[in-house]
Amino acid sequence: MNKNGTVPQFGTINPAALLTDANIRHDLHLTDDFRESIAEQGVLTPITVCRTATGALRVLTGHRRTAAALDAGLAQIPAMIVGDEQDGTEATVDRLVTQWSENEHRAAITTSERLALFETLADHGLDSAKITRRTKARRAEVDAALTLRGTEQRDAVQRGELTIEQAAAIAEFSDDPAAVGRIEWAIRSRRLDHALAAERLRRTERTEALARAAAVLAETGIDAVAMGSMHEWIDEANSATIERVTDVDGNTPTIEEVAAAGHLGLYVDSRSACYHRETGEEVDADDLVDELPAEDQREEWMIPREQVTETEETIRYWHVIRCGDSPWRTYWGNRSAIPAAGEVDAETRAAQRREVIENNRAWRAATEVRRTWLAQQSTRKTAPKGTAAFVATALVKWPQIPSAYHARALTEQMIPAAGALAKLATAPDARALVLLRARILIALESQVNADHWRTPADFAQFYLRAVADQGYALSDIERRAAGLEPLTDEQ
């Protein structure tokens, strides 16, 4: 019984017959997920209505559910008829306050509750795909939730300190403190996707380096423990010199330790040695003669070749190298690339190479994240603000890019062309602008590469700044290519 003494009546009503004019919400916020949920499952929570003086039913609470039901073409939805509509100021105030209370005091499901729900559904036999389909949650969040059981990070989610995906990212790299530190910074700067892609790429490179090391070990028969660690440098005469590198105790790193650093090479030194068969002493090859001359022409240093044993020794050393992306390339394979000693010192060269390797890796990771974002743009319902100006500027300044080979190839890969013109011809203006924007974005994307973080390009800066304005979060390497300062912890 409600406060005016009327007993509410439950029933099902055609939403098309309802009056929805009295609502404090100016925007119902009918998201695609909400519409899809109502279309598939119907209205699960009854709306409340009252009967007007004319006999029509007016919605008191549940305007959003009613609108979504109309969009879905539902013929009946559950409703609670709470009595006749009252007249006067007091009745109007009562209706407004009721609508306020329903919306203002509705508590959203917490992250902890979401985690528990996904786990419970999994316990009942639902896999990630089914949980995603039934709950309309994002697949990435569901996958992340199901990896957290038994981890410390799950407790952090329960305490409300981390989201499910943030916790899963930290748990994935919990055995690598440096990676965890980088991920935590990315969480603070709201760029977790970029950090995850970079860390996964770094781990893949490390695994591949170890696999290459194992393959060469098997081929050469060298033991798993390195014979030595070598370091190359350029002396004042600009000639290559090789020195042993050890720690303070004289220990050399193992192959696994060197490969884990991403810098692993194999130095092979072959030499011929001659030993006197009687004394066993090593003989200088320059002292050997095939035949001894006459007595008066002999010298004391002359030794007949037949009196010595000649052997060839091959010495193999694993050594640390800092040259390019490939852990197998050394200075010996590219001497011309080494500047003279007076131009730059060895430590500076090493730092520059490390920067190139790190930045190229960061660019590859950012490209993966950026293209994932791009793939979602053609599915938007509306284009973001400023799209018309963006498309017009791109087409006027770089009209050749959309028709370039790489642009067409990437567009076909991300948005297959089958029926594209037919879709554009029948699409409303808003939808056509969405599709045009997506194609221009992909065309520009096809022309940017790792060279642009080194050498600024006008169109690359235009493109990266445009996607940032349209909702994409640039990583530091992308900000560098866009001519922007890197973010700080405060940003």
Side-chain angles (χ1 to χ4, degrees):
M1 181 178 296
N2 57 32
K3 63 182 184 180
N4 64 8
T6 305
V7 177
Q9 297 178 333
F10 176 80
T12 57
I13 301 173
N14 185 344
L18 295 172
L19 301 175
T20 58
D21 52 334
N23 185 20
I24 65 170
R25 281 190 179 273
H26 299 165
D27 185 347
L28 294 178
H29 299 289
L30 296 179
T31 64
D32 292 341
D33 287 343
F34 185 72
R35 294 175 193 267
E36 188 176 350
S37 174
I38 293 294
E40 290 186 4
Q41 302 182 45
V43 175
L44 302 180
T45 303
I47 65 171
T48 60
V49 301
C50 63
R51 187 174 288 104
T52 67
T54 63
L57 296 175
R58 173 170 282 127
V59 177
L60 294 177
T61 62
H63 293 78
R64 191 163 177 256
R65 282 164 280 166
T66 302
L70 285 169
D71 283 354
L74 299 184
Q76 298 290 324
I77 61 173
M80 192 70 69
I81 304 173
V82 296
D84 295 334
E85 185 177 44
Q86 302 298 308
D87 295 327
T89 300
E90 184 177 349
T92 300
V93 170
D94 188 48
R95 173 180 58 79
L96 294 174
V97 171
T98 299
Q99 290 178 357
W100 166 269
S101 297
E102 188 207 25
N103 289 281
E104 181 70 9
H105 302 300
R106 178 185 295 147
I109 296 177
T110 66
T111 302
S112 175
E113 291 166 341
R114 294 173 72 86
L115 176 62
L117 170 64
F118 298 150
E119 291 176 339
T120 302
L121 291 174
D123 290 339
H124 284 77
L126 274 66
D127 60 18
S128 292
K130 290 181 179 177
I131 294 174
T132 300
R133 187 167 61 252
R134 297 294 296 274
T135 63
K136 306 305 177 187
R138 289 181 302 107
R139 176 65 181 268
E141 183 185 27
V142 175
D143 287 340
L146 300 186
T147 67
L148 288 176
R149 280 186 170 170
T151 67
E152 295 179 3
Q153 289 72 34
R154 185 188 185 280
D155 296 336
V157 174
Q158 295 284 45
R159 294 191 298 269
E161 298 169 1
L162 296 170
T163 68
I164 292 173
E165 289 169 276
Q166 290 170 351
I170 294 174
E172 182 177 347
F173 293 92
S174 58
D175 59 343
D176 187 344
V180 169
R182 290 188 290 267
I183 289 172
E184 288 176 339
W185 186 90
I187 290 172
R188 293 195 298 272
S189 60
R190 299 182 298 280
R191 290 180 295 177
L192 178 59
D193 289 344
H194 289 100
L196 267 183
E199 294 304 331
R200 287 168 179 162
L201 184 57
R202 183 178 284 109
R203 183 174 57 190
T204 298
E205 291 172 350
R206 186 176 303 162
T207 301
E208 290 174 350
L210 286 170
R212 286 193 294 268
V216 174
L217 287 175
E219 181 181 347
T220 61
I222 302 176
D223 292 336
V225 177
M227 296 174 62
S229 176
M230 310 299 293
H231 178 66
E232 295 165 326
W233 57 287
I234 306 301
D235 63 14
E236 294 181 357
N238 197 30
S239 61
T241 304
I242 297 180
E243 288 188 346
R244 285 289 184 92
V245 173
T246 65
D247 61 18
V248 293
D249 298 321
N251 300 316
T252 58
T254 65
I255 290 174
E256 289 76 13
E257 290 171 332
V258 177
H263 307 289
L264 180 63
L266 179 64
Y267 170 65
V268 181
D269 181 22
S270 298
R271 61 186 290 267
S272 296
C274 300
Y275 298 91
H276 200 285
R277 291 180 179 177
E278 293 182 2
T279 65
E281 294 181 356
E282 186 171 354
V283 177
D284 193 326
D286 292 338
D287 296 344
L288 300 181
V289 292
D290 293 326
E291 294 183 12
L292 288 176
E295 287 290 342
D296 59 346
Q297 295 179 343
R298 292 183 186 179
E299 299 284 349
E300 292 182 0
W301 52 266
M302 292 182 178
I303 301 174
R305 189 175 298 276
E306 63 184 17
Q307 293 182 10
V308 302
T309 300
E310 190 171 355
T311 64
E312 183 170 326
E313 297 177 346
T314 300
I315 305 173
R316 296 181 177 90
Y317 291 105
W318 294 101
H319 65 112
V320 177
I321 56 177
R322 303 187 183 281
C323 184
D325 291 331
S326 170
W328 300 113
R329 187 187 309 162
T330 69
Y331 292 153
W332 304 103
N334 188 17
R335 287 294 305 277
S336 62
I338 305 175
E343 296 179 19
V344 60
D345 59 79
E347 187 59 34
T348 300
R349 275 200 314 276
Q352 290 172 343
R353 292 190 181 98
R354 285 195 296 272
E355 181 187 25
V356 169
I357 291 171
E358 287 294 325
N359 286 350
N360 282 341
R361 180 189 298 118
W363 183 266
R364 292 195 298 273
T367 298
E368 178 184 329
V369 176
R370 195 171 59 248
R371 292 191 177 183
T372 298
W373 179 83
L374 281 178
Q376 301 166 352
Q377 300 311 300
S378 63
T379 63
R380 293 178 60 113
K381 298 299 182 183
T382 58
K385 184 179 179 180
T387 291
F390 160 71
V391 169
T393 303
L395 291 177
V396 169
K397 294 190 69 173
W398 302 283
Q400 76 283 1
I401 287 182
S403 60
Y405 170 77
H406 291 296
R408 288 185 284 109
L410 185 60
T411 302
E412 178 63 26
Q413 175 186 333
M414 299 185 71
I415 309 177
L421 290 177
K423 292 177 182 177
L424 281 171
T426 59
D429 287 350
R431 178 61 181 159
L433 188 59
V434 168
L435 295 175
L436 177 60
R437 167 182 171 269
R439 287 178 173 270
I440 296 300
L441 285 171
I442 294 172
L444 293 173
E445 168 67 27
S446 71
Q447 305 300 304
V448 297
N449 55 59
D451 289 338
H452 291 124
W453 69 258
R454 300 184 186 91
T455 307
D458 185 31
F459 89 89
Q461 292 191 352
F462 167 80
Y463 166 63
L464 292 171
R465 293 187 182 201
V467 296
D469 290 340
Q470 295 172 25
Y472 173 76
L474 295 176
S475 64
D476 278 344
I477 196 66
E478 290 168 315
R479 293 181 68 85
R480 179 168 175 169
L484 302 172
E485 293 296 322
L487 293 178
T488 63
D489 276 339
E490 289 73 28
Q491 291 178 287

